Amino acid sequence: MNKNINILYRGPLESCNYDCKYCPFAKKKNSRAELQYDKECLNKFVNWLPSQSYNFGLLFTPWGEALIRRYYQEALIKLSHFENVNKVAIQTNLSSSLRWLERASKKHIALWTTFHPTEISVDKFLDKCNQLSELEVNFSVGIVGKKEHFEFAEQLRGALPNSTYIWVNAYKREANYYSNEDVEFLNSIDPHFNLNNTIYKSLGKACFAGESSMSIDGEGNVNRCHFIKEKIGNIYEQSLEKILKPNNCSKNECRCYIGYMNLKELELNKIYGNKILERIPQKI
């Protein structure tokens, strides 16, 4: 049986059509040359995958919004049909057309969607969610847990079926940001909010990052995860057998889902199963 490897891919794309104040890439635009380079990097990665003797879970975590680019849509369609790709997921603001998903394998594709209250109405976002349900595409819905977003989180929870998981990213830029009442409310929206509302002491802890999970950039450079900027190899220059090995975390803290999902002591596979990349619990 082939070993399972999770890859978090982040190419050179760093542009977005939204203008969220909490994001450094709001309304940033890449030049045509930069977009062409990003496309070339993406296509090289897609063409590399079928030759590997592993099964892959893929999560695209772009700096910005990728699905407004047709070449990302086409890449995800192609990847969803690869025999050695168990799952391909992507973080998205859900602003693009969704018709392209009709050509993807619904069994193997999923969306990690985020609602941004200043950029789209609740009704328009819910319409997008309804389209995904009609297409039978698995997806989660998320929102940044700022206090001014609470009313929108409540509206989403009230409008979406209970089978749709809504996650809340805790706002951690301010210490003691939430009152006990705030935490109780957010737990009513996201039953796993406390997992995210924790800063994990991770130094020296056993982690899947660098062993069965890795972060790669557009040039194929490999880091153990997005938050440890130490290059451990390059997928186009070395075999994965030479790159991947068990490691303990070298950072003092782990604060983000795409980091702490790899901490072995948390055993998050028991919560999320084979939908850990798209952030959907087995029981909602």
Side-chain angles (χ1 to χ4, degrees):
M1 181 180 294
N2 292 342
K3 184 178 180 180
N4 293 313
I5 302 292
N6 284 339
I7 295 178
L8 279 67
Y9 178 92
R10 179 176 287 163
L13 181 78
E14 52 178 22
S15 60
C16 190
N17 56 332
Y18 276 9
D19 194 24
C20 306
K21 302 304 181 185
Y22 42 80
C23 178
F25 296 93
K27 289 294 185 182
K28 187 169 184 177
K29 292 184 178 181
N30 285 122
S31 67
R32 287 187 179 182
E34 289 170 335
L35 290 173
Q36 180 60 32
Y37 178 61
D38 182 59
K39 180 180 180 180
E40 291 170 359
C41 290
L42 177 61
N43 288 339
K44 185 177 182 179
F45 172 64
V46 171
N47 292 332
W48 169 82
L49 279 162
S51 65
Q52 304 303 304
S53 58
Y54 293 90
N55 292 322
F56 293 102
L58 309 174
L59 174 60
F60 288 79
T61 62
W63 284 130
E65 179 56 39
L67 290 184
I68 57 175
R69 310 293 175 188
R70 184 180 179 90
Y71 63 89
Y72 271 94
Q73 298 174 9
E74 295 299 323
L76 265 66
I77 292 169
K78 190 173 183 179
L79 289 167
S80 75
H81 291 287
F82 282 179
E83 290 186 1
N84 65 337
V85 172
N86 298 323
K87 179 69 57 63
V88 55
I90 188 169
Q91 296 175 331
T92 176
N93 62 26
L94 215 56
S95 61
S96 71
S97 167
L98 301 177
R99 294 292 299 276
W100 62 275
L101 284 162
E102 295 174 356
R103 295 187 287 124
S105 169
K106 311 305 187 299
K107 181 179 178 181
H108 298 107
I109 199 165
L111 300 186
W112 161 322
T113 79
T114 306
F115 174 71
H116 300 283
T118 61
E119 308 303 310
I120 187 173
S121 70
V122 171
D123 287 344
K124 287 183 178 180
F125 188 84
L126 290 172
D127 179 64
K128 293 282 189 174
C129 293
N130 290 334
Q131 291 179 50
L132 290 177
S133 296
E134 290 172 2
L135 288 165
E136 298 182 330
V137 172
N138 284 318
F139 67 101
S140 64
V141 171
I143 191 168
V144 176
K146 299 194 73 176
K147 294 182 181 182
E148 58 265 36
H149 295 173
F150 283 13
E151 63 178 294
F152 299 103
E154 191 169 33
Q155 289 177 48
L156 290 172
R157 183 65 286 165
L160 289 168
N162 291 335
S163 58
T164 299
Y165 176 57
I166 298 178
W167 47 265
V168 178
N169 270 354
Y171 190 71
K172 300 174 183 174
R173 297 182 189 179
E174 297 180 27
N176 304 312
Y177 182 71
Y178 298 115
S179 67
N180 291 337
E181 291 75 16
D182 292 335
V183 171
E184 183 179 356
F185 167 74
L186 292 172
N187 276 317
S188 73
I189 303 296
D190 174 4
H192 299 291
F193 174 71
N194 285 336
L195 279 174
N196 190 262
N197 194 33
T198 300
I199 298 174
Y200 295 96
K201 301 299 182 183
S202 57
L203 184 64
K205 298 287 184 67
C207 189
F208 290 112
E211 178 183 353
S212 59
S213 177
M214 62 182 182
S215 168
I216 74 167
D217 66 17
E219 296 181 350
N221 296 314
V222 180
N223 295 337
R224 291 173 54 203
C225 77
H226 280 330
F227 310 104
I228 299 176
K229 302 304 182 184
E230 176 189 357
K231 179 181 172 181
I232 61 173
N234 185 290
I235 61 172
Y236 305 129
E237 298 172 1
Q238 299 149 283
S239 68
L240 293 183
E241 289 88 346
K242 293 183 177 180
I243 296 174
L244 299 175
K245 60 182 179 180
N247 276 295
N248 293 335
C249 185
S250 60
K251 289 185 70 68
N252 289 326
E253 298 176 342
C254 192
R255 306 167 64 96
C256 181
Y257 177 85
I258 58 175
Y260 68 72
M261 70 178 186
N262 289 308
L263 278 176
K264 292 185 179 181
E265 68 177 22
L266 296 182
E267 299 184 311
L268 292 190
N269 284 329
K270 292 183 178 180
I271 295 176
Y272 295 95
N274 64 359
K275 294 182 179 180
I276 195 167
L277 293 178
E278 59 266 46
R279 203 171 175 176
I280 301 177
Q282 297 180 90
K283 295 180 180 180
I284 302 173

